[in-house]
């Protein structure tokens, strides 16, 4: 595919010189596994004893990777992205307690986000929910393991299903799209079952509800085929968000502890092949499947773009989206947007203190994904150098 994902001028067109230098130092810091590990432990300790200066996080990692503390604060970020043909995916990323009171608050926040998304549909492509923010995951795990629930647990599960129905009914009423986040292996199947029930109810005319398929799992391609066949039988559209995966270390550790086969592909190459195979399948049935491609991998994106050409699908086809995280892979996002592809940034939000676990995961992810921080640093360095060289040329021209 003839597209250049190395054009730093396009990737950082929205960044001032001052902002560029600031994010350069952010990635310099998180490029070091030692510093990230030390910083994570120090942050957790200082938070525990209530001595951590939140303002430092707010002006660094939070400001770079999050849209704001509230939906209203996210508008500035959303409007800025929209100037460059990039939409937003609002993601409430605050960690919460496993209590019925908190689950109710999370439900209200998700409903508020859905209405807000509908009111700002020109700048927002999807809303996001996480099922485990609506119920204690232990109950979902018991259901997947076919363990009997107590009377109280049965009641709590009923409350959970009511919350999900309330949220997805609102999604359908407001006519917006909803991404259901991936979960951990031990209760993902339970979440899948409920998500497909909601698809059957609401995806009859177009895909509103999307499930996330973690293609690093050995069984995920077959799960994708089964989900599509079920959608064909029940006559509804399948919504698919394809990702590689988010819980690799945790999944492998749990498999070892619980003495069951590791559910994750053994090598990165096998994971990539699984991901690309999923792309091929979705593209083959693009008129029946809504597709959101959630990846920062340039090769996979280029491959999918080639598939779009093979199937003669226009760049801005309404049921195909690309998505990357806010603060990462801007060169990819802005380049896709400049070529008129549907592209969006995940925009996390929430109170700084409650979003800290998310920020720690972002920092750890950048150090654990091979070359991620290095690639970001190289792109930023290229743009800083390009601007410096351009200014020097302009000064010489002015003197003449």
């Amino acid at each position: 595919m003839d597209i250049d994902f190395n054009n730093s001028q396009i990737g950082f067109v929205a960044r001032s010189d001052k902002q560029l230098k600031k994010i350069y130092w952010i990635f310099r810091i998180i490029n070091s596994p030692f510093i990230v590990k030390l910083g994570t432990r120090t942050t957790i300790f200082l938070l525990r004893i209530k001595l951590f200066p939140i303002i430092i996080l707010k002006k660094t990692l939070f400001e770079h990777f999050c849209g704001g503390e509230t939906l209203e604060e996210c508008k500035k970020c959303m409007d800025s992205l929209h100037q460059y043909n990039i939409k937003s995916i609002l993601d409430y990323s605050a960690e919460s307690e496993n209590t019925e009171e908190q689950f109710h608050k999370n439900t209200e926040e998700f409903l508020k986000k859905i209405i807000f998304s509908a009111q700002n549909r020109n700048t927002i492509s999807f809303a996001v929910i996480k099922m485990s923010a609506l119920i204690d995951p232990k109950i979902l795990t018991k259901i997947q393991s076919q363990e009997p629930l107590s009377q109280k647990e049965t009641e709590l599960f009923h409350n959970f299903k009511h919350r999900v129905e309330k949220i997805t009914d609102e999604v359908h009423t407001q006519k917006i799209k909803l991404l259901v986040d991936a979960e951990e292996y031990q209760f993902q199947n339970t979440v899948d079952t409920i998500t497909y029930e909601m698809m059957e109810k609401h995806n009859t005319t177009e895909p509103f509800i999307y499930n996330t398929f973690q293609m690093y799992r050995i069984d995920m391609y077959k799960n994708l085929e089964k989900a599509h066949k079920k959608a064909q039988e029940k006559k509804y559209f399948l919504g698919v968000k394809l990702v590689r995966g988010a819980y690799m270390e945790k999944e492998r550790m749990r498999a070892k502890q619980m003495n069951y086969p590791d559910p994750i592909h053994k090598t990165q190459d096998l994971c990539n092949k699984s991901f690309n195979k999923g792309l091929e399948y979705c593209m083959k049935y693009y008129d029946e499947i809504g597709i959101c491609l959630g990846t920062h991998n340039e090769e996979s994106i280029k491959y999918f773009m080639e598939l779009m050409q093979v199937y003669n699908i226009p760049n801005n086809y309404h049921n195909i989206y690309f998505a990357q995280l806010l603060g990462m892979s801007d060169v990819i996002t802005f380049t896709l947007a400049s070529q008129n592809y549907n592209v969006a940034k995940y925009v996390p939000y929430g109170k700084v203190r409650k979003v800290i676990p998310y920020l720690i995961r972002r920092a750890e992810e950048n150090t654990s994904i091979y070359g991620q921080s290095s690639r970001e640093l190289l792109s930023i360095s290229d743009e800083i150098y390009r601007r410096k060289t351009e200014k020097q040329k302009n000064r010489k021209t002015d003197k003449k």
Side-chain angles (χ1 to χ4, degrees), residues 140-310:
L140 299 177
T141 301
K142 287 185 75 172
I143 293 171
Q144 184 161 312
S145 303
Q146 296 184 326
E147 296 179 41
L149 300 182
S150 67
Q151 184 175 345
K152 180 63 175 177
E153 288 171 333
T154 301
E155 180 185 331
L156 294 175
F157 183 66
H158 175 78
N159 293 344
F160 161 69
K161 288 201 72 174
H162 176 70
R163 293 183 188 112
V164 174
E165 288 174 354
K166 190 175 181 181
I167 290 167
T168 54
D169 284 352
E170 189 64 39
V171 163
H172 192 258
T173 298
Q174 299 293 340
K175 296 291 184 277
I176 68 161
K177 296 181 183 295
L178 181 75
L179 299 174
V180 178
D181 256 354
E183 300 285 1
E184 295 178 33
Y185 179 79
Q186 65 265 27
F187 58 91
Q188 180 67 65
N189 291 351
T190 311
V191 169
D192 289 345
T193 299
I194 295 163
T195 303
Y196 298 139
E197 287 175 4
M198 297 303 104
M199 283 191 195
E200 184 178 350
K201 181 178 180 182
H202 296 301
N203 286 11
T204 53
T205 57
E206 63 178 282
F208 289 110
I209 315 294
Y210 286 62
N211 200 17
T212 301
F213 292 78
Q214 300 189 94
M215 302 308 292
Y216 72 173
R217 273 179 47 175
I218 293 170
D219 62 347
M220 197 51 63
Y221 181 76
K222 287 185 178 178
N223 287 358
L224 175 61
E225 284 185 316
K226 284 167 59 179
H228 179 232
K229 286 175 182 173
K230 182 176 181 180
Q232 287 178 317
E233 290 169 5
K234 300 283 187 176
K235 295 185 173 21
Y236 62 84
F237 288 87
L238 179 67
V240 172
K241 177 189 163 195
L242 280 178
V243 301
R244 277 173 169 76
Y247 303 101
M248 184 169 69
E249 292 179 9
K250 186 181 286 188
E251 300 290 18
R252 285 187 165 152
M253 188 180 298
R254 189 175 191 276
K256 190 174 182 180
Q257 290 172 345
M258 303 295 290
N259 196 30
Y260 61 79
D262 185 349
I264 310 299
H265 283 293
K266 299 295 182 188
T267 67
Q268 183 65 45
D269 184 55
L270 287 172
C271 176
N272 291 340
K273 286 178 179 176
S274 172
F275 189 85
N276 287 347
K277 196 176 178 182
L279 296 181
E280 292 164 4
Y281 187 88
C282 289
M283 186 55 70
K284 184 179 178 181
Y285 298 99
Y286 74 91
D287 56 339
E288 301 175 14
I289 298 176
I291 306 166
C292 179
L293 187 63
T295 182
H296 296 210
N297 186 291
E298 292 179 19
E299 296 308 313
S300 293
I301 292 171
K302 286 182 178 179
Y303 181 55
F304 192 69
M305 292 162 73
E306 288 171 2
L307 289 174
M308 289 179 71
Q309 285 191 333
V310 169

Side-chain angles (χ1 to χ4, degrees), residues 87-131:
K87 290 197 173 183
S88 298
I89 300 172
L90 291 175
D91 185 12
Y92 183 57
S93 298
E95 300 286 317
S96 58
E97 300 173 355
N98 286 334
T99 64
E100 283 296 288
E101 181 183 0
Q102 187 61 56
F103 298 145
H104 174 72
K105 288 180 180 178
N106 290 344
T107 302
E108 293 305 306
E109 182 62 39
F110 289 149
L111 288 168
K112 181 181 175 184
K113 177 170 60 177
I114 288 161
I115 293 170
F116 182 85
S117 297
Q119 292 169 343
N120 296 274
R121 63 178 72 248
N122 288 337
T123 58
I124 296 173
S125 56
F126 296 89
V128 182
I129 66 164
K130 196 165 185 66
M131 296 285 197

Side-chain angles (χ1 to χ4, degrees), residues 325-340:
L325 295 168
L326 185 69
M328 292 172 63
S329 300
D330 283 351
V331 175
I332 290 176
T333 309
F334 280 76
T335 301
L336 286 169
S338 71
Q339 298 297 313
N340 206 32

Side-chain angles (χ1 to χ4, degrees), residues 62 68-70 73 92 94 349-356:
F62 182 87
E69 294 196 79
T70 65
E73 284 185 14
Y92 183 57
Y349 73 96
K351 295 295 181 184
V352 178
R353 185 177 291 274
K354 290 191 174 184
V355 175
I356 286 172

Side-chain angles (χ1 to χ4, degrees), residues 1-12 298-299 302 329-336 374-376 378-383 386:
M1 181 71 196
D2 187 22
I3 190 168
D4 182 13
F5 284 130
N6 295 306
N7 190 325
S8 63
Q9 185 174 6
I10 292 176
F12 298 106
E298 292 179 19
E299 296 308 313
K302 286 182 178 179
S329 300
D330 283 351
V331 175
I332 290 176
T333 309
F334 280 76
T335 301
L336 286 169
S374 298
R375 286 195 297 274
E376 299 285 353
L378 182 60
S379 296
I380 297 164
S381 299
D382 285 347
E383 180 57 14
R386 188 198 67 77

